[in-house]
Each structure stands twice: as C-alpha cells, then as structure tokens.
Amino acid sequence: MSLNSQMFHIVINGCKNVHIQGVKIIAAGDSPNTDGIHVQLSTDVEILKTSIKTGDDCISIGPGTKNLWVEQVTCGPGHGISIGSLAKDLKEDGVQNVTMKRTTFSNTQNGLRIKSWARPSTGFVEGVRFTDSVMRNVQNPIVIDQNYCPRNENCPGQVSGVKIKDIIYTDIRGTSSTPVAIKFDCSTKNPCTGIKLQNVNLTYLKKAAQSFCSNVVGKAVDLVRPDSCL
C-alpha cells in the first residue's frame, strides 16, 4: 500500500520487465499531483489487480512507454487513466503498444484519456487497445484532447505535433456525468487516424449522451452509443 504520497506514488522510469500486482494506492480526491502510477521511458511493464484512489491520474503514461499491459485496475476518485500529457518537449519518444483490459472508473474526472499539449513535437501514440471498461458517473469517459493548454501559457495559437493512430475502444459501458461521453478533439495539423469504436454503450442521466469529433478519422462497429460522429 502507498498512502498519502506528497507527489506521485510510484514512478516507473527507464525500466524494463516490470510487474506490479496487488497494489493499493490511496490519497484524497482533492490532493494535487498525487498520480498513482506513472510510467515513462520503459518497456514491458505490467500493472495488474490494483486499486487506485487519488487526486490526479490513477495511471499516467509518458513518452517512451512501449509494451504496457494494464488489467483489472479500479480507479476513483482521480483523473482517470491518461496517456500524456505529451508534447511537453519538441523532441519526444512515442507511446506504443498499450493494452488496458477490465478497468473500472468510479466518479472520476476522466476515464480513458489521451492528451497532448497544443505545440510542436516529434511524439506519437499508436497501437492502443482499450477493452472491457466500466464507467460509473465519469465526467469524460472517452477523450482525446490534443489542445491541452492550461491557463493558455506557452501554447496559444499553436497546434499539436503528436501523431495519434490505431486506437481501438471495445466493450466500454456505463454512465457519463456530463452530456458529452465521447470527445475526440484532435490536432488540425495531425488529425487522429485509425480510431475505432466497437460495442460502446455510454449514457447520461439514463438518456442518450453525445459525441464530439474534430479532426479525427475512424469508424464505429456494432452497437455504439452515443451515436458516433466518426
């Protein structure tokens, strides 16, 4: 157990062949920068059967992460599971081959999120599989945000150079606490490509939710609710 860390609880940085299982992470929902597990510049990492309650991202995935497997993780409170923030630096390694299975989000700010600063970068995200997730009262269940620019500092008027492709969401279900349950807000210069939604069922207040798409190319297969804008 990791309890009330002053900053990130666990950081996997520059590692290979890491196995995390049966970990419990707890911090107050309003505690800043208390990310549960942060992974960056690492290859072949597994995070299994872990419970994370925190004030920031439950799991955050930084540049240079390759072959990451996350399964049976519960998240909440917290900001969800995030790939990013990316594009902090102009020269940045990509994120590739990430699998998330059997995850549960309860009263979180986000569910499955990919985010990059709105500025130039050599970074990329590709080969991501989000499978079998349950959302319970999540503000942004599915979100790609390439226009991340808090307080409008260091990025106004710029666009993200991060290339996002081959991202598949399968069997994602539950409830959104806001009307827009699926949001793909991609880069005008580098649109998201190969985005696929399959068997997604997200509702808002027991009625239909909404989707938002900007600069994204992809397809919806089988049942997808809210109605896809891909």
Side-chain angles (χ1 to χ4, degrees), residues 169-188:
Y169 304 83
T170 311
D171 297 324
I172 316 293
R173 58 206 181 276
T175 56
S176 173
S177 64
T178 65
V180 179
I182 299 174
K183 182 179 179 182
F184 296 131
D185 188 9
C186 298
S187 168
T188 52

Side-chain angles (χ1 to χ4, degrees), residues 9 24 28 36 54 56 75 87 113 131 134 138 179 181 195 204 223 227:
H9 286 253
K24 203 172 190 178
T54 183
D56 211 298
C75 170
R113 172 168 66 163
T131 305
V134 176
V138 173
I195 309 300
Y204 168 64
L223 170 84
D227 290 341

